[in-house]
Amino acid sequence: MDWIINYQNILGTLVALVAAVIGFGGVIYSQRALAKESARARSHEEALARSEAEANRQQRLASVLNAILGEVQALGLALADASRLLAAQIQIAEALAKESGDRKTRPRISFRFETPIFTAYVGSIGLLDPETAFRVANFYGRLMSLGVHNSADAPEMGAGLAVRVMRSVEVSLSAVQSEADGLVQILRTHMLR
């Protein structure tokens, strides 16, 4: 009879061990399943966050492109107006030079180009591709080099020299205006993408 009791004890211990192994395996399996589900959920959340971040970046890029495009178009018109005004000033200076060649005058090269959009979005220029960002920055840099010269600060000079100075500025205005036209085309192309 002792052997039956021993057998039952051994059998009970084995059953308890098997149950513990099965239970432990179940815990490990459920932990792995939970970890996989958690990783899947985290991966999904990360993909949604990346997608949302990209959508926000695209929206900011479109906003920057639209704003700069509008300002560059307006600046193109302002450059055309400045060119017409400068051409009229050149004609006056040429007439003055013909009438009295040695008479001193000041060249009339006073322009003011406002760039509130560029100023507001200058930190977002990096959203543009490198080539376009360079073109935008270069255009605005050249434009700023033309702006806000007070005619009273220009030295007096012979009318003929004043004409040459104003013609030089006229060439620069024309070049920046051409650059504005090219930049408008580039920005429009980017908006169609």
Side-chain angles (χ1 to χ4, degrees):
M1 217 38 187
D2 253 356
W3 68 274
I4 293 179
I5 293 174
N6 284 342
Y7 177 73
Q8 285 178 339
N9 285 338
I10 292 173
L11 189 59
T13 303
L14 284 175
V15 168
L17 270 168
V18 168
V21 167
I22 290 172
F24 186 68
V27 168
I28 290 174
Y29 176 78
S30 66
Q31 289 296 324
R32 284 186 180 168
L34 286 174
K36 284 180 183 177
E37 184 60 34
S38 176
R40 213 175 333 194
R42 190 175 33 241
S43 175
H44 179 70
E45 288 172 7
E46 288 172 357
L48 284 176
R50 279 193 303 272
S51 175
E52 186 176 317
E54 179 59 20
N56 286 338
R57 190 189 80 73
Q58 289 295 329
Q59 185 177 8
R60 284 186 17 239
L61 174 61
S63 179
V64 169
L65 282 170
N66 280 323
I68 290 178
L69 174 62
E71 186 169 74
V72 170
Q73 287 175 324
L75 288 168
L77 296 173
L79 285 162
D81 289 344
S83 291
R84 282 191 292 278
L85 181 61
L86 185 58
Q89 293 293 338
I90 290 171
Q91 287 177 348
I92 293 169
E94 285 174 335
L96 185 62
K98 285 181 186 175
E99 289 176 16
S100 57
D102 289 343
R103 185 166 176 206
K104 294 213 180 248
T105 187
R106 294 180 196 275
R108 307 283 186 220
I109 50 173
S110 180
F111 311 110
R112 182 172 203 89
F113 301 108
E114 298 292 330
T115 60
I117 301 297
F118 178 73
T119 302
Y121 282 106
V122 73
S124 298
I125 298 299
L127 291 172
L128 305 172
D129 66 87
E131 174 72 22
T132 304
F134 171 78
R135 301 263 322 238
V136 167
N138 188 53
F139 166 75
Y140 278 97
R142 291 192 58 196
L143 180 75
M144 295 305 162
S145 72
L146 291 173
V148 189
H149 298 286
N150 190 348
S151 294
D153 293 339
E156 283 195 332
M157 57 186 73
L161 180 57
V163 168
R164 287 195 301 273
V165 167
M166 288 190 289
R167 287 223 180 270
S168 171
V169 173
E170 184 180 41
V171 168
S172 294
L173 271 174
S174 177
V176 173
Q177 188 174 7
S178 293
E179 199 172 326
D181 294 340
L183 188 54
V184 164
Q185 294 307 316
I186 289 170
L187 293 172
R188 281 186 180 156
T189 301
H190 281 291
M191 290 178 61
L192 295 176
R193 291 182 190 173

Coordinates of all heavy atoms in Angstrom, one line a residue, residues 13 168 176 190:
T13 N 2.9 15.2 -7.7 CA 4.0 16.1 -7.9 C 4.3 16.3 -9.4 O 4.5 17.5 -9.9 CB 5.3 15.6 -7.3 OG1 5.1 15.4 -5.9 CG2 6.5 16.6 -7.4
S168 N 23.0 102.1 -64.9 CA 23.6 100.9 -64.2 C 22.5 100.3 -63.3 O 22.3 99.1 -63.3 CB 24.8 101.3 -63.4 OG 25.2 100.3 -62.6
V176 N 16.9 91.8 -61.8 CA 16.2 91.3 -60.7 C 14.7 91.1 -61.1 O 14.1 90.1 -60.7 CB 16.2 92.3 -59.5 CG1 15.3 91.9 -58.4 CG2 17.7 92.4 -59.0
H190 N 6.4 74.1 -58.6 CA 6.4 73.3 -57.3 C 5.0 73.2 -56.8 O 4.7 72.2 -56.1 CB 7.3 74.0 -56.3 CG 8.7 73.8 -56.5 ND1 9.3 72.6 -56.3 CD2 9.7 74.6 -56.9 CE1 10.6 72.6 -56.5 NE2 10.9 73.9 -56.9

